[in-house]
mmCIF file of all heavy atoms in Angstrom:
data_model
loop_
_atom_site.group_PDB
_atom_site.id
_atom_site.type_symbol
_atom_site.label_atom_id
_atom_site.label_comp_id
_atom_site.label_asym_id
_atom_site.label_seq_id
_atom_site.Cartn_x
_atom_site.Cartn_y
_atom_site.Cartn_z
ATOM 1 N N GLY A 137 -0.918 6.480 27.208
ATOM 2 C CA GLY A 137 0.078 6.970 28.146
ATOM 3 C C GLY A 137 1.271 6.056 28.341
ATOM 4 O O GLY A 137 2.057 6.234 29.272
ATOM 5 N N TYR A 138 1.449 5.074 27.423
ATOM 6 C CA TYR A 138 2.592 4.163 27.524
ATOM 7 C C TYR A 138 3.851 4.763 26.907
ATOM 8 O O TYR A 138 4.946 4.235 27.095
ATOM 9 C CB TYR A 138 2.290 2.841 26.795
ATOM 10 C CG TYR A 138 1.261 1.962 27.452
ATOM 11 C CD1 TYR A 138 0.587 2.351 28.600
ATOM 12 C CD2 TYR A 138 0.955 0.713 26.910
ATOM 13 C CE1 TYR A 138 -0.366 1.525 29.188
ATOM 14 C CE2 TYR A 138 0.004 -0.119 27.488
ATOM 15 C CZ TYR A 138 -0.649 0.297 28.621
ATOM 16 O OH TYR A 138 -1.580 -0.518 29.196
ATOM 17 N N MET A 139 3.687 5.839 26.137
ATOM 18 C CA MET A 139 4.804 6.396 25.383
ATOM 19 C C MET A 139 4.579 7.886 25.172
ATOM 20 O O MET A 139 3.445 8.327 24.959
ATOM 21 C CB MET A 139 4.924 5.668 24.036
ATOM 22 C CG MET A 139 6.019 6.125 23.128
ATOM 23 S SD MET A 139 6.113 5.087 21.631
ATOM 24 C CE MET A 139 6.999 3.669 22.279
ATOM 25 N N GLU A 140 5.650 8.665 25.217
ATOM 26 C CA GLU A 140 5.548 10.102 24.966
ATOM 27 C C GLU A 140 5.252 10.359 23.484
ATOM 28 O O GLU A 140 5.708 9.597 22.620
ATOM 29 C CB GLU A 140 6.854 10.805 25.354
ATOM 30 C CG GLU A 140 7.145 10.804 26.850
ATOM 31 C CD GLU A 140 6.092 11.575 27.636
ATOM 32 O OE1 GLU A 140 5.642 12.636 27.144
ATOM 33 O OE2 GLU A 140 5.708 11.111 28.720
ATOM 34 N N PRO A 141 4.517 11.420 23.189
ATOM 35 C CA PRO A 141 4.151 11.705 21.787
ATOM 36 C C PRO A 141 5.343 11.790 20.836
ATOM 37 O O PRO A 141 5.285 11.268 19.718
ATOM 38 C CB PRO A 141 3.419 13.050 21.884
ATOM 39 C CG PRO A 141 2.839 13.059 23.257
ATOM 40 C CD PRO A 141 3.846 12.343 24.124
ATOM 41 N N ASP A 142 6.428 12.437 21.249
ATOM 42 C CA ASP A 142 7.589 12.581 20.363
ATOM 43 C C ASP A 142 8.194 11.224 20.029
ATOM 44 O O ASP A 142 8.603 10.973 18.883
ATOM 45 C CB ASP A 142 8.648 13.477 21.005
ATOM 46 C CG ASP A 142 8.238 14.941 21.028
ATOM 47 O OD1 ASP A 142 7.234 15.281 20.363
ATOM 48 O OD2 ASP A 142 8.911 15.733 21.711
ATOM 49 N N GLU A 143 8.261 10.337 21.021
ATOM 50 C CA GLU A 143 8.840 9.015 20.792
ATOM 51 C C GLU A 143 7.913 8.172 19.918
ATOM 52 O O GLU A 143 8.377 7.456 19.013
ATOM 53 C CB GLU A 143 9.093 8.314 22.123
ATOM 54 C CG GLU A 143 9.914 7.048 21.995
ATOM 55 C CD GLU A 143 10.338 6.494 23.336
ATOM 56 O OE1 GLU A 143 9.657 6.767 24.350
ATOM 57 O OE2 GLU A 143 11.362 5.777 23.382
ATOM 58 N N ALA A 144 6.616 8.256 20.162
ATOM 59 C CA ALA A 144 5.654 7.519 19.338
ATOM 60 C C ALA A 144 5.725 7.979 17.889
ATOM 61 O O ALA A 144 5.715 7.172 16.956
ATOM 62 C CB ALA A 144 4.243 7.712 19.897
ATOM 63 N N GLU A 145 5.810 9.291 17.692
ATOM 64 C CA GLU A 145 5.897 9.823 16.337
ATOM 65 C C GLU A 145 7.167 9.344 15.641
ATOM 66 O O GLU A 145 7.158 9.033 14.448
ATOM 67 C CB GLU A 145 5.863 11.350 16.356
ATOM 68 C CG GLU A 145 5.893 11.938 14.957
ATOM 69 C CD GLU A 145 5.773 13.454 14.941
ATOM 70 O OE1 GLU A 145 5.910 14.083 16.010
ATOM 71 O OE2 GLU A 145 5.574 13.997 13.854
ATOM 72 N N GLU A 146 8.253 9.253 16.374
ATOM 73 C CA GLU A 146 9.505 8.773 15.790
ATOM 74 C C GLU A 146 9.356 7.345 15.267
ATOM 75 O O GLU A 146 9.793 7.023 14.156
ATOM 76 C CB GLU A 146 10.626 8.835 16.832
ATOM 77 C CG GLU A 146 11.985 8.436 16.290
ATOM 78 C CD GLU A 146 13.094 8.542 17.330
ATOM 79 O OE1 GLU A 146 12.856 9.147 18.404
ATOM 80 O OE2 GLU A 146 14.198 8.012 17.074
ATOM 81 N N TYR A 147 8.714 6.478 16.043
ATOM 82 C CA TYR A 147 8.472 5.102 15.592
ATOM 83 C C TYR A 147 7.557 5.093 14.368
ATOM 84 O O TYR A 147 7.805 4.368 13.399
ATOM 85 C CB TYR A 147 7.835 4.278 16.714
ATOM 86 C CG TYR A 147 8.830 3.646 17.655
ATOM 87 C CD1 TYR A 147 9.056 4.175 18.917
ATOM 88 C CD2 TYR A 147 9.546 2.502 17.285
ATOM 89 C CE1 TYR A 147 9.971 3.593 19.800
ATOM 90 C CE2 TYR A 147 10.454 1.908 18.155
ATOM 91 C CZ TYR A 147 10.671 2.463 19.410
ATOM 92 O OH TYR A 147 11.586 1.875 20.274
ATOM 93 N N MET A 148 6.497 5.894 14.422
ATOM 94 C CA MET A 148 5.539 5.909 13.314
ATOM 95 C C MET A 148 6.184 6.399 12.020
ATOM 96 O O MET A 148 5.962 5.820 10.947
ATOM 97 C CB MET A 148 4.326 6.773 13.677
ATOM 98 C CG MET A 148 3.432 6.138 14.724
ATOM 99 S SD MET A 148 1.838 6.994 14.961
ATOM 100 C CE MET A 148 2.356 8.367 15.992
ATOM 101 N N ILE A 149 6.982 7.436 12.108
ATOM 102 C CA ILE A 149 7.636 7.975 10.911
ATOM 103 C C ILE A 149 8.653 6.977 10.358
ATOM 104 O O ILE A 149 8.756 6.794 9.134
ATOM 105 C CB ILE A 149 8.310 9.325 11.226
ATOM 106 C CG1 ILE A 149 7.252 10.379 11.558
ATOM 107 C CG2 ILE A 149 9.160 9.797 10.056
ATOM 108 C CD1 ILE A 149 6.263 10.657 10.444
ATOM 109 N N LYS A 150 9.393 6.318 11.233
ATOM 110 C CA LYS A 150 10.340 5.291 10.764
ATOM 111 C C LYS A 150 9.611 4.215 9.973
ATOM 112 O O LYS A 150 10.032 3.830 8.874
ATOM 113 C CB LYS A 150 11.062 4.656 11.956
ATOM 114 C CG LYS A 150 12.223 5.449 12.504
ATOM 115 C CD LYS A 150 12.890 4.674 13.635
ATOM 116 C CE LYS A 150 14.049 5.459 14.245
ATOM 117 N NZ LYS A 150 14.657 4.726 15.399
ATOM 118 N N ALA A 151 8.521 3.713 10.536
ATOM 119 C CA ALA A 151 7.770 2.652 9.865
ATOM 120 C C ALA A 151 7.174 3.146 8.552
ATOM 121 O O ALA A 151 7.192 2.436 7.534
ATOM 122 C CB ALA A 151 6.670 2.129 10.785
ATOM 123 N N ALA A 152 6.657 4.370 8.549
ATOM 124 C CA ALA A 152 6.054 4.929 7.338
ATOM 125 C C ALA A 152 7.085 5.083 6.225
ATOM 126 O O ALA A 152 6.809 4.778 5.058
ATOM 127 C CB ALA A 152 5.407 6.272 7.655
ATOM 128 N N ARG A 153 8.258 5.558 6.570
ATOM 129 C CA ARG A 153 9.298 5.744 5.556
ATOM 130 C C ARG A 153 9.798 4.402 5.027
ATOM 131 O O ARG A 153 10.102 4.271 3.830
ATOM 132 C CB ARG A 153 10.441 6.576 6.138
ATOM 133 C CG ARG A 153 10.053 8.054 6.278
ATOM 134 C CD ARG A 153 11.109 8.886 6.957
ATOM 135 N NE ARG A 153 10.708 10.299 6.971
ATOM 136 C CZ ARG A 153 11.243 11.223 7.756
ATOM 137 N NH1 ARG A 153 12.224 10.886 8.599
ATOM 138 N NH2 ARG A 153 10.828 12.477 7.704
ATOM 139 N N LEU A 154 9.879 3.404 5.892
ATOM 140 C CA LEU A 154 10.257 2.070 5.434
ATOM 141 C C LEU A 154 9.197 1.520 4.483
ATOM 142 O O LEU A 154 9.532 0.892 3.473
ATOM 143 C CB LEU A 154 10.440 1.135 6.633
ATOM 144 C CG LEU A 154 11.718 1.334 7.443
ATOM 145 C CD1 LEU A 154 11.648 0.573 8.766
ATOM 146 C CD2 LEU A 154 12.946 0.884 6.652
ATOM 147 N N ALA A 155 7.930 1.757 4.793
ATOM 148 C CA ALA A 155 6.851 1.306 3.910
ATOM 149 C C ALA A 155 6.941 1.998 2.557
ATOM 150 O O ALA A 155 6.829 1.344 1.500
ATOM 151 C CB ALA A 155 5.497 1.573 4.566
ATOM 152 N N GLN A 156 7.151 3.303 2.570
ATOM 153 C CA GLN A 156 7.268 4.046 1.309
ATOM 154 C C GLN A 156 8.439 3.543 0.470
ATOM 155 O O GLN A 156 8.353 3.479 -0.757
ATOM 156 C CB GLN A 156 7.446 5.536 1.592
ATOM 157 C CG GLN A 156 6.168 6.323 1.573
ATOM 158 C CD GLN A 156 6.427 7.817 1.560
ATOM 159 O OE1 GLN A 156 7.476 8.301 1.965
ATOM 160 N NE2 GLN A 156 5.442 8.565 1.103
ATOM 161 N N ALA A 157 9.534 3.211 1.148
ATOM 162 C CA ALA A 157 10.717 2.732 0.420
ATOM 163 C C ALA A 157 10.538 1.309 -0.102
ATOM 164 O O ALA A 157 11.239 0.893 -1.029
ATOM 165 C CB ALA A 157 11.944 2.801 1.339
ATOM 166 N N SER A 158 9.599 0.569 0.491
ATOM 167 C CA SER A 158 9.425 -0.843 0.158
ATOM 168 C C SER A 158 8.391 -1.086 -0.933
ATOM 169 O O SER A 158 8.455 -2.093 -1.644
ATOM 170 C CB SER A 158 9.017 -1.636 1.408
ATOM 171 O OG SER A 158 9.992 -1.522 2.422
ATOM 172 N N TYR A 159 7.420 -0.189 -1.065
ATOM 173 C CA TYR A 159 6.315 -0.382 -2.005
ATOM 174 C C TYR A 159 6.147 0.859 -2.879
ATOM 175 O O TYR A 159 6.558 1.948 -2.495
ATOM 176 C CB TYR A 159 5.014 -0.695 -1.251
ATOM 177 C CG TYR A 159 5.160 -1.881 -0.321
ATOM 178 C CD1 TYR A 159 5.339 -1.709 1.046
ATOM 179 C CD2 TYR A 159 5.161 -3.183 -0.815
ATOM 180 C CE1 TYR A 159 5.503 -2.787 1.894
ATOM 181 C CE2 TYR A 159 5.323 -4.276 0.023
ATOM 182 C CZ TYR A 159 5.503 -4.067 1.383
ATOM 183 O OH TYR A 159 5.685 -5.142 2.212
ATOM 184 N N SER A 160 5.502 0.674 -4.007
ATOM 185 C CA SER A 160 5.372 1.775 -4.964
ATOM 186 C C SER A 160 3.970 2.364 -5.022
ATOM 187 O O SER A 160 3.757 3.356 -5.720
ATOM 188 C CB SER A 160 5.770 1.295 -6.360
ATOM 189 O OG SER A 160 4.912 0.246 -6.783
ATOM 190 N N SER A 161 3.012 1.756 -4.305
ATOM 191 C CA SER A 161 1.635 2.235 -4.382
ATOM 192 C C SER A 161 0.833 1.703 -3.206
ATOM 193 O O SER A 161 1.256 0.755 -2.513
ATOM 194 C CB SER A 161 0.976 1.769 -5.685
ATOM 195 O OG SER A 161 0.820 0.357 -5.671
ATOM 196 N N TRP A 162 -0.344 2.289 -2.995
ATOM 197 C CA TRP A 162 -1.246 1.787 -1.953
ATOM 198 C C TRP A 162 -1.693 0.366 -2.259
ATOM 199 O O TRP A 162 -1.831 -0.455 -1.337
ATOM 200 C CB TRP A 162 -2.477 2.700 -1.844
ATOM 201 C CG TRP A 162 -2.214 4.012 -1.188
ATOM 202 C CD1 TRP A 162 -2.289 5.256 -1.745
ATOM 203 C CD2 TRP A 162 -1.826 4.227 0.186
ATOM 204 N NE1 TRP A 162 -1.970 6.223 -0.826
ATOM 205 C CE2 TRP A 162 -1.688 5.618 0.379
ATOM 206 C CE3 TRP A 162 -1.585 3.373 1.264
ATOM 207 C CZ2 TRP A 162 -1.315 6.179 1.599
ATOM 208 C CZ3 TRP A 162 -1.212 3.916 2.489
ATOM 209 C CH2 TRP A 162 -1.086 5.305 2.639
ATOM 210 N N ILE A 163 -1.924 0.060 -3.520
ATOM 211 C CA ILE A 163 -2.374 -1.287 -3.875
ATOM 212 C C ILE A 163 -1.309 -2.320 -3.515
ATOM 213 O O ILE A 163 -1.603 -3.368 -2.933
ATOM 214 C CB ILE A 163 -2.734 -1.368 -5.374
ATOM 215 C CG1 ILE A 163 -4.021 -0.583 -5.641
ATOM 216 C CG2 ILE A 163 -2.901 -2.821 -5.818
ATOM 217 C CD1 ILE A 163 -4.447 -0.554 -7.090
ATOM 218 N N GLU A 164 -0.061 -2.017 -3.836
ATOM 219 C CA GLU A 164 1.027 -2.948 -3.527
ATOM 220 C C GLU A 164 1.173 -3.118 -2.015
ATOM 221 O O GLU A 164 1.348 -4.234 -1.507
ATOM 222 C CB GLU A 164 2.336 -2.436 -4.137
ATOM 223 C CG GLU A 164 3.451 -3.478 -4.150
ATOM 224 C CD GLU A 164 4.682 -2.972 -4.874
ATOM 225 O OE1 GLU A 164 4.676 -2.981 -6.114
ATOM 226 O OE2 GLU A 164 5.634 -2.577 -4.191
ATOM 227 N N TYR A 165 1.095 -2.008 -1.293
ATOM 228 C CA TYR A 165 1.210 -2.039 0.169
ATOM 229 C C TYR A 165 0.067 -2.842 0.797
ATOM 230 O O TYR A 165 0.292 -3.742 1.623
ATOM 231 C CB TYR A 165 1.201 -0.603 0.687
ATOM 232 C CG TYR A 165 1.046 -0.449 2.183
ATOM 233 C CD1 TYR A 165 2.128 -0.632 3.041
ATOM 234 C CD2 TYR A 165 -0.185 -0.105 2.735
ATOM 235 C CE1 TYR A 165 1.986 -0.471 4.414
ATOM 236 C CE2 TYR A 165 -0.337 0.060 4.101
ATOM 237 C CZ TYR A 165 0.742 -0.129 4.945
ATOM 238 O OH TYR A 165 0.599 0.025 6.302
ATOM 239 N N ALA A 166 -1.167 -2.534 0.407
ATOM 240 C CA ALA A 166 -2.329 -3.208 0.991
ATOM 241 C C ALA A 166 -2.342 -4.696 0.646
ATOM 242 O O ALA A 166 -2.700 -5.539 1.484
ATOM 243 C CB ALA A 166 -3.622 -2.541 0.522
ATOM 244 N N THR A 167 -1.942 -5.034 -0.571
ATOM 245 C CA THR A 167 -1.885 -6.439 -0.973
ATOM 246 C C THR A 167 -0.876 -7.204 -0.121
ATOM 247 O O THR A 167 -1.154 -8.328 0.336
ATOM 248 C CB THR A 167 -1.512 -6.550 -2.459
ATOM 249 O OG1 THR A 167 -2.508 -5.874 -3.242
ATOM 250 C CG2 THR A 167 -1.430 -8.007 -2.892
ATOM 251 N N ALA A 168 0.283 -6.610 0.103
ATOM 252 C CA ALA A 168 1.298 -7.249 0.945
ATOM 253 C C ALA A 168 0.785 -7.424 2.374
ATOM 254 O O ALA A 168 1.034 -8.460 3.010
ATOM 255 C CB ALA A 168 2.577 -6.423 0.945
ATOM 256 N N TYR A 169 0.062 -6.434 2.875
ATOM 257 C CA TYR A 169 -0.522 -6.545 4.228
ATOM 258 C C TYR A 169 -1.505 -7.715 4.287
ATOM 259 O O TYR A 169 -1.465 -8.524 5.224
ATOM 260 C CB TYR A 169 -1.230 -5.241 4.613
ATOM 261 C CG TYR A 169 -1.954 -5.356 5.928
ATOM 262 C CD1 TYR A 169 -1.306 -5.051 7.120
ATOM 263 C CD2 TYR A 169 -3.278 -5.804 5.991
ATOM 264 C CE1 TYR A 169 -1.957 -5.197 8.336
ATOM 265 C CE2 TYR A 169 -3.923 -5.951 7.197
ATOM 266 C CZ TYR A 169 -3.258 -5.646 8.366
ATOM 267 O OH TYR A 169 -3.907 -5.809 9.573
ATOM 268 N N ILE A 170 -2.391 -7.803 3.304
ATOM 269 C CA ILE A 170 -3.409 -8.862 3.284
ATOM 270 C C ILE A 170 -2.759 -10.244 3.249
ATOM 271 O O ILE A 170 -3.178 -11.166 3.959
ATOM 272 C CB ILE A 170 -4.347 -8.653 2.081
ATOM 273 C CG1 ILE A 170 -5.193 -7.387 2.286
ATOM 274 C CG2 ILE A 170 -5.243 -9.864 1.852
ATOM 275 C CD1 ILE A 170 -5.846 -6.859 1.017
ATOM 276 N N ILE A 171 -1.735 -10.393 2.434
ATOM 277 C CA ILE A 171 -1.019 -11.675 2.367
ATOM 278 C C ILE A 171 -0.327 -11.943 3.696
ATOM 279 O O ILE A 171 -0.301 -13.083 4.187
ATOM 280 C CB ILE A 171 -0.022 -11.669 1.199
ATOM 281 C CG1 ILE A 171 -0.774 -11.611 -0.133
ATOM 282 C CG2 ILE A 171 0.879 -12.912 1.236
ATOM 283 C CD1 ILE A 171 0.107 -11.379 -1.345
ATOM 284 N N GLY A 172 0.215 -10.902 4.329
ATOM 285 C CA GLY A 172 0.871 -11.063 5.621
ATOM 286 C C GLY A 172 -0.065 -11.570 6.700
ATOM 287 O O GLY A 172 0.289 -12.461 7.489
ATOM 288 N N VAL A 173 -1.271 -11.023 6.746
ATOM 289 C CA VAL A 173 -2.258 -11.489 7.730
ATOM 290 C C VAL A 173 -2.563 -12.962 7.509
ATOM 291 O O VAL A 173 -2.624 -13.757 8.461
ATOM 292 C CB VAL A 173 -3.557 -10.665 7.639
ATOM 293 C CG1 VAL A 173 -4.645 -11.275 8.518
ATOM 294 C CG2 VAL A 173 -3.307 -9.228 8.064
ATOM 295 N N GLN A 174 -2.733 -13.358 6.263
ATOM 296 C CA GLN A 174 -3.030 -14.766 5.965
ATOM 297 C C GLN A 174 -1.855 -15.669 6.324
ATOM 298 O O GLN A 174 -2.052 -16.802 6.784
ATOM 299 C CB GLN A 174 -3.386 -14.909 4.492
ATOM 300 C CG GLN A 174 -4.689 -14.211 4.120
ATOM 301 C CD GLN A 174 -4.950 -14.286 2.633
ATOM 302 O OE1 GLN A 174 -5.574 -15.234 2.145
ATOM 303 N NE2 GLN A 174 -4.464 -13.308 1.890
ATOM 304 N N PHE A 175 -0.636 -15.174 6.134
ATOM 305 C CA PHE A 175 0.553 -15.949 6.502
ATOM 306 C C PHE A 175 0.571 -16.205 8.006
ATOM 307 O O PHE A 175 0.827 -17.325 8.457
ATOM 308 C CB PHE A 175 1.811 -15.185 6.079
ATOM 309 C CG PHE A 175 3.098 -15.806 6.550
ATOM 310 C CD1 PHE A 175 3.593 -16.960 5.961
ATOM 311 C CD2 PHE A 175 3.827 -15.234 7.585
ATOM 312 C CE1 PHE A 175 4.785 -17.530 6.388
ATOM 313 C CE2 PHE A 175 5.012 -15.798 8.025
ATOM 314 C CZ PHE A 175 5.495 -16.955 7.421
ATOM 315 N N VAL A 176 0.287 -15.179 8.801
ATOM 316 C CA VAL A 176 0.278 -15.327 10.260
ATOM 317 C C VAL A 176 -0.865 -16.230 10.699
ATOM 318 O O VAL A 176 -0.702 -17.080 11.581
ATOM 319 C CB VAL A 176 0.169 -13.943 10.929
ATOM 320 C CG1 VAL A 176 -0.047 -14.080 12.435
ATOM 321 C CG2 VAL A 176 1.429 -13.121 10.654
ATOM 322 N N ASP A 177 -2.033 -16.079 10.076
ATOM 323 C CA ASP A 177 -3.233 -16.797 10.514
ATOM 324 C C ASP A 177 -3.328 -18.226 10.003
ATOM 325 O O ASP A 177 -4.170 -18.993 10.498
ATOM 326 C CB ASP A 177 -4.495 -16.050 10.058
ATOM 327 C CG ASP A 177 -4.743 -14.785 10.856
ATOM 328 O OD1 ASP A 177 -3.999 -14.536 11.833
ATOM 329 O OD2 ASP A 177 -5.676 -14.037 10.503
ATOM 330 N N CYS A 178 -2.509 -18.602 9.030
ATOM 331 C CA CYS A 178 -2.702 -19.902 8.381
ATOM 332 C C CYS A 178 -2.462 -21.085 9.315
ATOM 333 O O CYS A 178 -2.855 -22.206 9.001
ATOM 334 C CB CYS A 178 -1.836 -20.022 7.125
ATOM 335 S SG CYS A 178 -0.057 -20.198 7.448
ATOM 336 N N VAL A 179 -1.833 -20.849 10.464
ATOM 337 C CA VAL A 179 -1.588 -21.938 11.413
ATOM 338 C C VAL A 179 -2.726 -22.077 12.422
ATOM 339 O O VAL A 179 -2.740 -23.020 13.222
ATOM 340 C CB VAL A 179 -0.260 -21.722 12.181
ATOM 341 C CG1 VAL A 179 0.905 -21.658 11.207
ATOM 342 C CG2 VAL A 179 -0.304 -20.469 13.048
ATOM 343 N N LEU A 180 -3.681 -21.150 12.408
ATOM 344 C CA LEU A 180 -4.766 -21.172 13.387
ATOM 345 C C LEU A 180 -5.865 -22.136 12.964
ATOM 346 O O LEU A 180 -6.100 -22.339 11.775
ATOM 347 C CB LEU A 180 -5.364 -19.766 13.552
ATOM 348 C CG LEU A 180 -4.389 -18.668 13.990
ATOM 349 C CD1 LEU A 180 -5.117 -17.324 14.026
ATOM 350 C CD2 LEU A 180 -3.782 -18.986 15.356
#
């Protein structure tokens, strides 16, 4: 209840389209995510 459905969907679609434009496959996307988590966590 922090956000209206239409506004939430707008954010989700923006992010999804940026992801599609940035990567060519699920493998490329998931690999980038995994490396990103390690980048954030490496200081812990």
Side-chain angles (χ1 to χ4, degrees):
Y138 290 3
M139 180 176 280
E140 292 297 321
D142 288 349
E143 190 171 25
E145 182 176 13
E146 184 178 348
Y147 273 104
M148 289 190 281
I149 294 299
K150 279 183 182 177
R153 286 175 176 163
L154 285 168
Q156 265 192 337
S158 301
Y159 305 101
S160 61
S161 67
W162 286 115
I163 289 178
E164 193 175 282
Y165 169 79
T167 300
Y169 174 90
I170 292 163
I171 294 171
V173 172
Q174 294 176 89
F175 173 74
V176 172
D177 287 354
C178 71
V179 300
L180 302 177

